[in-house]
Protein backbone atom coordinates (compact mmCIF):
# COMPACT_ATOMS: atom_id res chain seq x y z
CA UNK A 1 0.00 0.00 0.00
CA UNK A 2 1.26 3.49 -0.79
CA UNK A 3 2.23 5.69 2.11
CA UNK A 4 2.73 8.87 0.05
CA UNK A 5 0.78 10.04 -2.95
CA UNK A 6 2.86 11.18 -5.95
CA UNK A 7 2.65 14.85 -6.87
CA UNK A 8 1.98 15.79 -10.49
CA UNK A 9 1.63 19.09 -12.30
CA UNK A 10 3.18 22.50 -12.11
CA UNK A 11 5.56 23.46 -9.34
CA UNK A 12 4.30 27.05 -9.40
CA UNK A 13 0.96 28.42 -10.53
CA UNK A 14 0.93 30.49 -13.70
CA UNK A 15 -1.19 33.58 -13.10
CA UNK A 16 -2.39 33.83 -16.70
CA UNK A 17 -4.83 32.25 -19.08
CA UNK A 18 -2.87 33.57 -22.08
CA UNK A 19 -1.80 30.45 -24.05
CA UNK A 20 1.39 32.14 -25.30
CA UNK A 21 2.41 33.01 -21.72
CA UNK A 22 1.59 29.50 -20.51
CA UNK A 23 3.65 27.95 -23.32
CA UNK A 24 6.70 30.20 -22.84
CA UNK A 25 6.84 30.98 -19.12
CA UNK A 26 9.60 28.45 -18.46
CA UNK A 27 11.82 29.94 -21.18
CA UNK A 28 11.47 33.33 -19.48
CA UNK A 29 12.50 31.75 -16.16
CA UNK A 30 15.58 30.18 -17.80
CA UNK A 31 16.52 33.59 -19.29
CA UNK A 32 16.23 35.21 -15.81
CA UNK A 33 18.47 32.50 -14.33
CA UNK A 34 21.07 32.95 -17.09
CA UNK A 35 21.12 36.74 -16.57
CA UNK A 36 21.60 36.28 -12.82
CA UNK A 37 24.43 33.71 -13.23
CA UNK A 38 27.84 34.74 -11.92
CA UNK A 39 30.01 32.89 -14.46
CA UNK A 40 29.92 31.41 -17.94
CA UNK A 41 30.04 27.87 -16.55
CA UNK A 42 27.00 28.64 -14.40
CA UNK A 43 25.21 30.08 -17.45
CA UNK A 44 25.95 26.90 -19.40
CA UNK A 45 24.71 24.79 -16.48
CA UNK A 46 21.44 26.75 -16.33
CA UNK A 47 20.80 26.05 -20.02
CA UNK A 48 22.17 22.53 -20.55
CA UNK A 49 21.74 20.74 -17.20
CA UNK A 50 18.53 19.30 -15.81
CA UNK A 51 15.57 21.26 -14.48
CA UNK A 52 16.26 22.88 -11.12
CA UNK A 53 20.04 22.52 -11.45
CA UNK A 54 21.96 24.72 -9.03
CA UNK A 55 25.70 25.30 -8.70
CA UNK A 56 27.19 23.43 -5.74
CA UNK A 57 26.46 25.14 -2.42
CA UNK A 58 23.77 27.53 -3.66
CA UNK A 59 20.04 27.76 -3.09
CA UNK A 60 17.43 28.17 -5.81
CA UNK A 61 16.54 31.74 -6.68
CA UNK A 62 13.82 32.94 -4.36
CA UNK A 63 14.34 30.18 -1.81
CA UNK A 64 15.76 30.68 1.64
CA UNK A 65 17.68 27.43 1.98
CA UNK A 66 18.91 24.61 -0.26
CA UNK A 67 16.21 22.04 -0.79
CA UNK A 68 16.47 18.39 -1.67
CA UNK A 69 14.19 16.66 -4.12
CA UNK A 70 11.29 14.95 -2.36
CA UNK A 71 11.77 11.25 -1.80
CA UNK A 72 9.70 9.07 -4.09
CA UNK A 73 8.69 5.81 -2.47
CA UNK A 74 9.54 2.62 -4.33
CA UNK A 75 6.54 0.91 -5.88
CA UNK A 76 6.71 -2.87 -5.71
CA UNK A 77 6.34 -4.78 -8.97
CA UNK A 78 2.94 -6.36 -9.49
CA UNK A 79 2.72 -10.04 -8.67
CA UNK A 80 2.14 -12.25 -11.68
CA UNK A 81 -0.02 -15.29 -11.15
CA UNK A 82 -0.81 -17.81 -13.71
Amino acid sequence: METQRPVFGLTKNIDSFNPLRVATHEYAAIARDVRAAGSWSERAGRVFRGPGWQPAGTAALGSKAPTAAPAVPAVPAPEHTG
Side-chain angles (χ1 to χ4, degrees):
M1 179 177 266
E2 286 187 32
T3 57
Q4 270 186 323
R5 295 186 55 85
V7 178
F8 298 99
L10 301 173
T11 57
K12 294 185 216 173
N13 286 333
I14 302 170
D15 298 326
S16 176
F17 292 104
N18 179 335
L20 184 61
R21 172 76 176 129
V22 171
T24 61
H25 79 279
E26 197 57 39
Y27 295 109
I30 292 169
R32 279 192 302 273
D33 288 348
V34 168
R35 272 195 312 270
S39 68
W40 283 103
S41 62
E42 185 179 342
R43 287 181 180 101
R46 300 280 184 191
V47 174
F48 297 111
R49 294 202 179 221
W53 176 84
Q54 296 292 316
T58 61
L61 290 176
S63 70
K64 295 181 174 133
T67 58
V72 178
V75 178
E79 294 182 21
H80 295 287
T81 58

